[in-house]
Amino acid sequence: MQLFDVVFYVFALITILSGCVVVFSKNIIYAAFSLLFTFFGVAALYVLLHADFLAVTQILIYVGGILVLLLFGVMLTNNVISVEMKTGTIQAIPALIIVAIVAGTLAGLSYSTWKGVAVPAPGGPQTTTGTLGQMLMTSYVIPFEIASVVLLVALIGAAMTARRHRNS
Amino acid sequence: MEIPLSYYLCLSVVLFVVGVAGVLTRRNAIVVFMCIELMLNSVNLTLIAFSSFLGSITGQALVFFAMAVAAAEAAVGLAIVIAIYRNKRTVDIDKINILKW
């Protein structure tokens, strides 16, 4: 077992365990901070897959943006001081059945499709930032601009939605 | 460098299923959001694994756009949750049922 394999297993374990804590923890703050480790684990797996730019983007957007936003949401919608920040579960049995169906379908699909297919392992270390930047500015320039408009509209809409209306 | 593609796919499946379980069972809308982010991350991981193993960088561009849309989704979703909390003083998805027929 080489160092690369050990790193993969460690980060896979971190990702899955902290993902389980997100779902099964009763405390919302624990769930939010456990999500931090999930995002970092996924970012590390991106590095192992030679997606260095996306690993940094993952940390910037998810940890720096979405997680902070979620924490703000937790703080704004739960009474931190008086009420305990617990959350219960609902519909355990139907959820278990649906989860079993989804898990079986996905696992069977990925196993049967990629069981015998010999996929070449990725080559040596390479940086993708330059290539990705050139792609975004040439063949993907229209989706890139549309994504910027989507972000702008979403931010304006979010600000309008969460705003307290003055005359009500 | 001996990790095969199927290991990454297995990891993504586990992460996605954990997210599905959370969306189906949790009652707090914000925890449901976190679980949706888990599912988005697992799909991104799948795309990057395929992109890396197939030697094509297109999957990474797709993940880039998926992240942009995820950021927009989180902002709008949190705004809706906060607006609901302001009106109903709860984020329990069992009690938010005025649109239910």
Side-chain angles (χ1 to χ4, degrees):
Chain A
M1 183 176 283
Q2 292 182 346
L3 183 63
F4 192 89
D5 301 357
V6 177
V7 171
F8 171 78
Y9 287 123
V10 166
F11 281 114
L13 206 64
I14 288 175
T15 308
I16 290 178
L17 284 183
S18 55
C20 287
V21 172
V22 171
V23 171
F24 298 114
S25 161
K26 293 284 177 202
N27 193 317
I28 307 174
I29 296 290
Y30 289 172
F33 278 103
S34 175
L35 200 62
L36 174 78
F37 290 100
T38 312
F39 289 157
F40 270 120
V42 173
L45 291 171
Y46 288 177
V47 173
L48 293 186
L49 287 166
H50 303 307
D52 48 352
F53 175 72
L54 282 170
V56 176
T57 315
Q58 162 95 2
I59 291 177
L60 277 179
I61 292 183
Y62 276 99
V63 178
I66 293 180
L67 195 63
V68 172
L69 211 59
L70 282 168
L71 277 172
F72 267 100
V74 171
M75 298 297 177
L76 284 174
T77 56
N78 288 273
N79 203 337
V80 186
I81 299 164
S82 63
V83 188
E84 76 275 22
M85 305 176 69
K86 299 281 171 69
T87 164
T89 59
I90 47 169
Q91 298 159 349
I93 302 298
L96 199 66
I97 295 169
I98 295 174
V99 164
I101 292 171
V102 171
T105 310
L106 287 178
L109 205 63
S110 66
Y111 179 73
S112 65
T113 312
W114 297 94
K115 174 182 51 174
V117 180
V119 182
Q126 67 231 0
T127 57
T128 58
T129 313
T131 325
L132 208 56
Q134 279 180 353
M135 277 177 80
L136 286 179
M137 279 297 122
T138 54
S139 51
Y140 286 95
V141 65
I142 300 291
F144 187 67
E145 295 298 330
I146 291 176
S148 69
V149 174
V150 164
L151 276 174
L152 180 67
V153 171
L155 289 181
I156 294 174
M160 286 297 292
T161 310
R163 193 172 65 114
R164 188 185 299 274
H165 295 286
R166 285 209 188 87
N167 50 1
S168 66
Chain B
M1 197 46 82
E2 282 91 18
I3 301 290
L5 175 60
S6 51
Y7 284 25
Y8 287 101
L9 293 185
C10 279
L11 178 62
S12 298
V13 167
V14 171
L15 211 56
F16 190 87
V17 166
V18 167
V20 170
V23 168
L24 288 176
T25 56
R26 302 313 298 269
R27 291 169 64 189
N28 192 304
I30 300 203
V31 183
V32 172
F33 257 107
M34 296 179 193
C35 298
I36 290 174
E37 300 297 336
L38 275 186
M39 292 157 74
L40 276 168
N41 263 290
S42 84
V43 174
N44 283 353
L45 185 61
T46 312
L47 274 171
I48 289 191
F50 274 120
S51 149
S52 172
F53 275 85
L54 298 178
S56 157
I57 207 169
T58 312
Q60 298 196 12
L62 280 177
V63 170
F64 186 76
F65 292 121
M67 279 182 182
V69 175
E73 169 259 335
V76 174
L78 258 301
I80 291 173
V81 167
I82 287 172
I84 287 175
Y85 179 76
R86 182 171 299 138
N87 286 322
K88 292 182 74 80
R89 310 306 294 175
T90 180
V91 286
D92 192 334
I93 56 174
D94 265 355
K95 301 201 176 81
I96 306 167
N97 53 7
I98 53 172
L99 278 180
K100 205 188 267 180
W101 182 60

